[in-house]
Structures are given as structure tokens and as C-alpha cells.
């Protein structure tokens, strides 16, 4: 009985670790892993880009319930350079009002959740939104707003409604 329970626990832990590896690409070694290795581990990318020098970038959003979008960067020979989560304050800080278009934002943050995309006709403004873990390990939302008249891009950051007895925003896991 104890042996069966132990085996079951070991199997569950192994499955959880394997799921984490696929989610974030853990275990994929820069300089060794190829595009095919990354796609086999992390699943099909939502978006792909190729630069003039042959280098590539693939986007792996983990929403709508997930709080990460992983970007995988590859050298011209198809070898992995790095994988990074782009839904964080340092990446958001790169967005400068009036300096970016929708393609720039997609390349920086990956696609937003289509269910959270909104167009406000009266303001001629398109809003994209991402769920992420903020610097205080709280669940938060980041919005990029595209003004259709001026082309100016602006951003907002918010925590969802307060929840629970202590009336605080939910914590999340990085």
C-alpha cells in the first residue's frame, strides 16, 4: 500500500515538473536547443518573426489564465539564444507614448487576450490587455491603448478588484 502511494506521488511530481518545463521552456539550453526543440517542449508559438539577418523570435503566450508570455530568441543558425518572460515592468517600461505601433507592441509583449481587446468608437481607441504578476507578486492587468486619430500609444496598469476577507488583490506565482 505504501509503495503504491509512493509511486503515485512520484508520478504526480514527475508530471508536474514536466508540465513546468513545457510551460516556460526550462531545461532548454541556449546554444544547443533548436527551434524544433523549443516548439516540441513549449507547443506551437502564437507569433513568429524573422529578421533580415536570419535571427528569429517566437511568442508563447500562456493566457488567458496564465500570467506569462515567453519570447524565445534564436540565432540565424536556428539555435536558442534565450527565453524570457516579457510580461513584467521592465518590458512595459520600454513602451514610450507616441513611439510604437501595434506591430512593435506585439513584438515586445506578444498578443493580448482577444476577449480583453476593446475598441471605443467615441474615442477611436483600441485597447489591448494582459494579465501578469506585478513586482509585489500581485495579480495585475497591463493595458496598451492605441489612439486612432493621433497614433499615440499610452499605457495603464491596474490591479483587479479587491477580493477576500482582507480586501486585497490576489497573489500570484512567478
Amino acid at each position: 500500500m505504501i509503495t503504491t502511494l509512493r509511486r503515485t506521488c512520484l508520478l504526480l511530481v514527475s508530471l508536474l515538473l514536466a508540465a513546468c518545463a513545457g510551460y516556460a521552456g526550462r531545461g532548454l539550453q541556449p546554444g544547443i536547443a533548436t527551434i524544433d526543440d523549443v516548439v516540441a517542449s513549449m507547443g506551437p508559438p502564437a507569433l513568429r518573426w524573422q529578421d533580415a539577418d536570419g535571427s528569429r523570435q517566437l511568442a508563447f503566450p500562456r493566457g488567458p489564465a496564465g500570467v506569462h508570455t515567453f519570447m524565445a530568441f534564436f540565432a540565424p543558425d536556428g539555435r536558442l539564444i534565450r527565453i524570457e518572460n516579457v510580461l513584467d515592468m521592465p518590458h512595459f517600461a520600454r513602451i514610450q507614448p507616441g513611439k510604437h505601433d501595434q506591430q512593435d507592441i506585439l513584438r515586445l509583449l506578444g498578443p493580448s487576450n482577444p476577449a480583453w481587446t476593446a475598441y471605443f468608437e467615441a474615442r477611436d481607441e483600441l485597447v489591448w490587455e494582459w494579465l501578469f504578476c506585478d513586482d509585489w507578486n500581485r495579480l495585475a492587468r497591463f493595458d496598451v491603448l492605441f489612439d486612432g486619430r493621433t497614433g499615440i500609444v499610452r499605457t495603464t496598469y491596474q490591479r483587479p478588484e479587491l477580493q477576500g476577507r482582507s480586501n486585497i488583490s490576489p497573489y500570484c506565482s512567478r
Side-chain angles (χ1 to χ4, degrees):
M1 177 76 172
I2 291 177
T3 305
T4 304
L5 182 60
R6 250 188 215 156
R7 284 184 187 154
T8 303
C9 288
L10 285 173
L11 177 63
L12 288 173
V13 167
S14 297
L15 289 173
L16 284 172
L17 289 174
C20 289
Y23 182 85
R26 286 189 187 95
L28 295 168
Q29 295 181 359
I32 297 173
T34 65
I35 292 173
D36 291 339
D37 296 333
V38 172
V39 171
S41 176
M42 298 180 72
L47 295 169
R48 295 173 180 252
W49 297 271
Q50 183 164 349
D51 294 327
D53 68 355
S55 60
R56 295 184 196 149
Q57 178 181 343
L58 278 61
F60 296 92
R62 299 307 191 201
V67 293
H68 304 99
T69 292
F70 294 99
M71 290 290 182
F73 298 89
F74 298 89
D77 69 357
R79 301 273 175 207
L80 179 66
I81 297 170
R82 71 184 182 282
I83 297 174
E84 60 186 47
N85 174 35
V86 296
L87 298 184
D88 60 17
M89 298 309 262
H91 283 88
F92 300 153
R94 294 181 188 175
I95 300 171
Q96 299 174 6
K99 303 260 184 190
H100 301 279
D101 62 17
Q102 292 179 9
Q103 290 304 312
D104 295 334
I105 301 302
L106 284 173
R107 188 119 189 214
L108 180 63
L109 303 178
S112 68
N113 182 332
W116 300 335
T117 297
Y119 176 71
F120 297 95
E121 189 173 347
R123 294 191 319 237
D124 191 18
E125 191 170 59
L126 177 66
V127 180
W128 290 351
E129 185 171 274
W130 293 263
L131 189 65
F132 75 105
C133 274
D134 68 13
D135 289 344
W136 297 273
N137 205 32
R138 301 288 181 120
L139 198 57
R141 294 178 184 268
F142 183 78
D143 298 331
V144 175
L145 300 89
F146 303 92
D147 187 309
R149 286 183 222 131
T150 65
I152 292 177
V153 173
R154 63 188 178 95
T155 63
T156 65
Y157 156 76
Q158 61 186 323
R159 286 192 179 145
E161 65 281 349
L162 302 176
Q163 299 177 359
R165 278 192 232 168
S166 49
N167 220 19
I168 58 172
S169 297
Y171 283 98
C172 55
S173 158
R174 292 183 191 243

